[in-house]
């Protein structure tokens, strides 16, 4: 058990309440059952938080604990709106009462919580696997994740806490040298509301998303039309959840890739797909369902801009049914709606033409023809996409691959499941293109930065329903409904064997999750190079004790300097690892840094003017050559190589611990 495990688990529970409670309440007000409401909860909550953060930022109100009553009031208002939409809907609203109400609406026996007890057990098993992997992979709960994106996100949470602005429209301007830019800050806003040190709050916010995934997916599977009339629906959903409820692909998003806002976006997609499924088949109140679809889809886009491209990737599978549904209800409106959608899409693309051009022109080394079978295997068997993270139990993914292919074969013959097969095939094809050789079609993956790891969860979402469909057919043969004929007495043994296989896959893949967690949380095993060793993190935690209040420190981001702000509470000149804009004093200071080692008076005069303008009078250095023998050493130096390698003259030592030291830049003393 890592130090601070109890605090991490408790804070994760609080993060889960923040993430799920507002959306769940609104889902219930809109007539959804308990499980379906869990599925839409992350997306709806993201939409509310995004709207509130923008509004508070525009009004100049600080984003802190005082924002919670506002979020509560916003939830109540949206819940009232959802209730009004439910009552005014032309279709009969689904009765309240969770999965039992869905069965009642379909004329099937009402099972209630007892009927979904296997699903609850499967979700609990997945949560236990995820939490166990995290507690085994994390050395100390209050230590930060160490990855390129993680450093930015930790600084973003710190900036929101200190600056009080969580707006998506410029709330993180200080991280961009004072330039107000758009950045999706929904996840950061939620993490900033959690108590405790920033790294601990961030770890809890990340773990909460991983823990929420099994419940969100189970809610989608229970509510999908393809599973609605299955006599063994709860059993099939339970087995599917145990099998793929803790996917390696999602764990990879929140660990080795550390794309936490995008992970929140992906977490919002199952609810959006479920609402699209309900709207197309006309289940429940159309206005209420349309409202929830707008909120979940909007929440996915607000959580991360790539959410728009994720929806565009998955939406074509729904177009035939949506076109037919609109034609049945509004026969004359289809052409007008199509024209309006085309105009809006064209206008949006024109307004965002420069960012779109930048994204679509993104370049990343291709995987070659050998990457095609490798990527296909990773997508089908749910295996890690990058690095040396591996375990012998990864071969258990073959069970997932076989079940997925069987489900695709069955699903193509079931009209209600055919669109899920199309979604799966589309996402799989794009993932394989991104992981394969370079050609113009590969650039379609540019919105995901040509990272197949970002696309793998989009394959896993529809694949889960296909697996559920295959297992449902298997259960119908192994355990037919009571009175259906012979073979019933032999069914329990077969079912126990099937459940044991699913549990074996879930538990057997725990080492994969543990290794992924350790690849960013264990300073000795950081996958892409250790930014800060264990002793360095302890030194950073005490740094504020040796500096005056408000001190600003110059430090190399590639040597862990960005973490000094989140871990030690000491503000740094370079809070992110990306290169500063060329017109800023931050860039000019980094450019002038190599000359300061020559003790040239003119160079120091210019440098001191920059340092005084930034308020920076201290320097942090890390002279360890190999991160104290860490497995992968240190990450490669980037634009900040001079900050790491060149120590200027005229420094006064403040405190040193081994290879790590804080210095006061004394050369600027007494200068006008």
């Amino acid at each position: 058990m890592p130090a601070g495990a109890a605090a991490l688990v408790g804070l994760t529970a609080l993060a889960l309440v923040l993430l799920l409670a507002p959306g769940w309440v609104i889902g219930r007000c809109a007539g959804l059952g308990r499980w379906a409401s869990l599925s839409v909860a992350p997306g709806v909550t993201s939409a509310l938080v995004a709207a509130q953060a923008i509004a508070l930022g525009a009004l100049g109100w600080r984003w802190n604990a005082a924002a919670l009553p506002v979020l509560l009031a916003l939830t109540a208002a949206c819940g009232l709106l959802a209730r009004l939409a439910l009552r005014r809907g032309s279709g009969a609203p689904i009765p309240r009462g969770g999965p039992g109400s869905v069965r009642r609406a379909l004329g099937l026996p009402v099972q209630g919580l007892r009927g979904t007890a296997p699903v609850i057990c499967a979700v609990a098993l997945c949560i236990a696997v995820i939490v166990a992997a995290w507690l085994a992979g994390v050395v100390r709960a209050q230590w930060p994740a160490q990855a390129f994106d993680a450093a930015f996100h930790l600084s973003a949470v710190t900036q929101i806490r200190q600056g009080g602005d969580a707006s998506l429209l410029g709330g993180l301007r200080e991280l961009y040298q004072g330039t107000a830019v758009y950045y999706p800050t929904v996840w950061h806003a939620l993490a900033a509301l959690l108590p405790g040190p920033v790294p601990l709050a961030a770890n809890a916010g990340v773990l909460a998303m991983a823990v929420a995934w099994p419940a969100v997916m189970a809610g989608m599977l229970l509510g999908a039309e393809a599973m609605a009339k299955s006599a063994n629906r709860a059993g099939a959903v339970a087995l599917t959840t145990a099998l793929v409820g803790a996917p390696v692909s999602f764990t990879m998003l929140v660990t080795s890739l550390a794309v936490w806002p995008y992970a929140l976006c992906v977490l919002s997609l199952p609810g959006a797909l479920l609402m699209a499924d309900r709207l197309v088949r006309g289940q429940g109140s159309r206005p209420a369902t349309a409202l929830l679809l707008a909120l979940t889809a909007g929440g996915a886009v607000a959580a991360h801009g790539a959410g728009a491209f994720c929806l565009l990737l998955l939406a074509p599978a729904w177009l035939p049914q949506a076109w037919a549904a609109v034609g049945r209800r509004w026969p004359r409106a289809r052409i007008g709606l199509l024209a309006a959608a085309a105009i809006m899409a064209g206008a949006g693309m024109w307004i965002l033409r420069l960012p779109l051009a930048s994204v679509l022109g993104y370049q990343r080394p291709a995987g070659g023809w050998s990457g095609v079978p490798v990527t296909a295997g990773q997508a089908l068997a749910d295996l890690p996409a990058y690095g040396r993270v591996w375990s012998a139990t990864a071969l258990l993914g073959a069970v997932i691959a076989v079940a997925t292919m069987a489900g695709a074969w069955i699903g193509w013959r079931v009209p209600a499941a055919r669109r899920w097969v199309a979604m799966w095939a589309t996402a799989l094809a794009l993932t394989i293109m991104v992981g394969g050789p370079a050609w113009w079609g590969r650039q379609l993956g540019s919105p995901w930065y040509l990272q197949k790891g970002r696309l793998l969860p989009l394959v896993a979402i529809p694949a889960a329903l296909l697996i559920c469909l295959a297992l449902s057919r298997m259960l119908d043969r192994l355990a037919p409904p009571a009175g259906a004929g012979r073979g019933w007495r032999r069914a329990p043994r077969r079912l126990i064997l099937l459940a044991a296989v699913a549990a074996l896959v879930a538990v057997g893949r725990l080492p994969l999750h543990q290794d992924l967690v350790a690849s960013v949380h264990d300073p000795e095993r950081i996958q892409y190079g250790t930014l800060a060793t264990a002793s360095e993190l302890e030194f950073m935690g005490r740094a504020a004790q040796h500096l005056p209040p408000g001190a600003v420190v110059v430090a190399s981001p590639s040597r862990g300097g960005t973490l000094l702000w989140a871990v030690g509470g000491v503000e740094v000149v370079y809070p992110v690892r990306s290169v500063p804009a060329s017109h800023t004093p931050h860039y000019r200071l980094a450019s002038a840094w190599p000359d300061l080692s020559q003790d040239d008076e003119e160079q120091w005069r210019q440098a001191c003017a920059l340092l005084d303008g930034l308020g920076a009078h201290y320097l942090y250095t890390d002279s360890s050559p190999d991160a104290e023998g860490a497995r992968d050493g240190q990450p490669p130096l980037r634009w900040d190589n001079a900050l790491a390698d060149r120590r200027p003259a005229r420094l006064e030592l403040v405190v040193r611990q081994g290879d790590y030291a804080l210095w006061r830049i004394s050369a600027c003393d007494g200068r006008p």
Side-chain angles (χ1 to χ4, degrees):
M1 294 285 285
L8 177 61
V9 172
L11 213 54
T12 300
L14 179 58
L16 270 175
V17 173
L18 276 175
L19 177 63
L20 300 180
W24 187 86
V25 169
I26 294 172
R28 296 290 286 160
C29 290
L32 296 184
R34 296 183 181 92
W35 285 101
S37 296
L38 274 177
S39 186
V40 302
V44 174
T45 300
S46 296
L48 298 184
V49 171
Q52 180 183 346
I54 292 173
L56 294 186
L59 294 172
W61 296 359
R62 289 185 62 84
W63 182 269
N64 51 29
L68 291 174
V70 181
L71 180 60
L72 184 63
L74 190 59
T75 302
C78 287
L80 178 61
L81 181 62
R83 178 59 65 181
L84 292 175
L86 178 66
R87 290 181 178 178
R88 294 190 179 187
S90 57
I94 295 296
R96 299 177 62 184
S101 63
V102 178
R103 298 187 66 84
R104 187 183 299 113
L106 294 170
L108 298 172
V110 177
Q111 295 178 330
L113 290 178
R114 233 180 238 188
T116 56
V119 181
I120 296 173
C121 292
V123 170
L125 173 65
C126 291
I127 291 175
V129 168
I130 293 168
V131 173
W134 275 75
L135 295 183
V138 172
V139 178
R140 289 194 180 181
Q142 67 271 25
W143 282 358
Q146 299 190 41
F148 185 93
D149 288 77
F152 177 92
H153 299 316
L154 289 165
S155 293
V157 175
T158 308
Q159 173 58 40
I160 290 174
R161 281 190 174 186
Q162 292 189 6
D165 189 355
S167 174
L168 287 70
L169 307 177
L172 300 182
R173 61 178 61 86
E174 294 303 322
L175 301 188
Y176 295 92
Q177 299 86 50
T179 303
V181 299
Y182 164 81
Y183 194 87
T185 54
V186 175
W187 180 86
H188 310 89
L190 289 170
L193 293 176
L194 298 175
V198 168
L200 178 61
N203 292 342
V206 171
L207 180 55
M209 291 192 293
V211 167
W213 180 266
V216 168
M217 288 299 295
M220 184 195 78
L221 296 175
L222 283 169
E225 180 189 13
M227 298 302 304
K229 296 183 180 180
S230 172
N232 295 290
R233 183 181 59 163
V237 172
L239 289 174
T240 304
T241 303
L243 200 62
V244 295
V248 170
S249 58
F250 192 78
T251 301
M252 189 168 53
L253 288 185
V254 298
T255 54
S256 61
L257 291 181
V259 285
W260 302 335
Y262 178 71
L264 179 57
C265 163
V266 173
L267 187 64
S268 304
L269 293 178
L273 296 178
L274 177 60
M275 291 302 99
D277 187 64
R278 286 172 58 95
L279 190 62
V280 165
R281 72 180 192 255
Q283 180 182 358
S285 166
R286 285 189 179 89
T289 305
L291 173 64
L292 289 178
L293 176 58
L295 287 174
T296 50
V301 176
H304 195 281
F309 296 97
C310 293
L311 294 171
L312 285 174
L313 176 66
L314 302 175
W318 301 85
L319 291 181
Q321 291 83 2
W323 184 259
V326 172
R328 287 192 300 267
R329 187 164 179 82
W330 301 290
R332 299 180 179 179
R334 290 196 295 188
I335 301 300
L337 289 174
L338 185 62
I343 292 172
M344 291 176 62
M349 292 177 66
W350 175 256
I351 293 172
L352 300 174
R353 60 190 183 280
L354 294 180
L356 282 175
S358 174
V359 168
L360 294 177
Y362 190 84
Q363 298 294 324
R364 188 183 293 272
W369 287 107
S370 62
V372 172
V374 170
T375 304
Q378 291 165 339
L380 292 173
D382 186 36
L383 297 177
Y386 302 107
R388 299 178 304 185
V389 179
W390 185 253
S391 169
T393 56
L395 295 177
L396 293 172
V399 178
I400 298 174
V402 171
T404 302
M405 298 301 292
W409 180 265
I410 295 170
W412 192 249
R413 288 158 175 75
V414 178
R418 196 166 293 163
R419 52 182 171 266
W420 295 89
V421 178
M423 277 192 290
W424 170 76
T426 303
L428 179 62
L430 181 60
T431 304
I432 292 175
M433 282 198 299
V434 168
W439 65 295
W440 67 266
R442 184 171 179 265
Q443 289 304 119
L444 293 174
S446 297
W448 295 271
Y449 298 98
L450 297 178
Q451 284 184 312
K452 57 185 178 180
R454 294 185 184 232
L455 285 163
L456 288 176
L458 305 186
V459 180
I461 293 173
L465 187 127
L466 301 182
I467 293 172
C468 193
L469 191 63
L471 291 174
S472 175
R473 289 292 181 91
M474 186 179 296
L475 288 179
D476 288 344
R477 294 190 177 188
L478 292 178
R486 56 188 177 180
W488 176 254
R489 293 182 180 179
R490 297 175 59 188
R493 293 182 182 178
R494 298 173 182 174
L495 292 179
I496 291 173
L497 178 61
L498 195 59
V501 170
L504 174 64
V505 173
V507 177
R509 286 158 62 85
L510 191 151
L512 272 177
H513 296 277
Q514 178 183 339
D515 289 344
L516 284 168
V517 174
S519 71
V520 292
H521 282 282
D522 185 347
E524 295 183 359
R525 300 167 60 188
I526 302 301
Q527 187 172 352
Y528 301 111
T530 298
L531 288 170
T533 64
S535 58
E536 186 174 6
L537 288 170
E538 294 176 356
F539 178 71
M540 287 181 175
R542 299 190 300 269
Q545 302 174 9
H546 305 284
L547 297 172
V552 180
V553 176
V554 179
S556 167
S558 297
R559 291 296 174 262
T562 55
L563 300 178
L564 192 61
W565 195 17
V567 174
V570 177
E571 189 173 350
V572 293
V573 174
Y574 303 104
V576 298
R577 294 183 65 187
S578 55
V579 60
S582 59
H583 65 276
T584 62
H586 307 73
Y587 182 86
R588 294 197 297 271
L589 177 63
S591 301
W593 199 260
D595 299 324
L596 300 184
S597 60
Q598 305 300 322
D599 200 16
D600 181 85
E601 185 66 24
E602 179 59 23
Q603 292 291 340
W604 268 112
R605 187 187 65 79
Q606 297 177 13
C608 286
L610 293 172
L611 289 167
D612 290 341
L614 295 170
H617 301 103
Y618 293 87
L619 173 68
Y620 173 79
T621 58
D622 172 358
S623 57
S624 173
D626 59 354
E628 299 181 9
R631 187 186 67 181
D632 291 294
Q634 296 171 314
L637 293 171
R638 300 164 63 88
W639 57 270
D640 57 342
N641 58 334
L643 294 173
D645 294 338
R646 303 284 186 91
R647 186 179 304 174
R650 307 185 193 182
L651 296 179
E652 177 184 303
L653 181 65
V654 176
V655 61
R656 180 193 293 275
Q657 177 182 309
D659 294 320
Y660 318 109
L662 278 169
W663 309 80
R664 190 176 70 85
I665 304 174
S666 57
C668 299
D669 291 351
R671 291 182 180 271

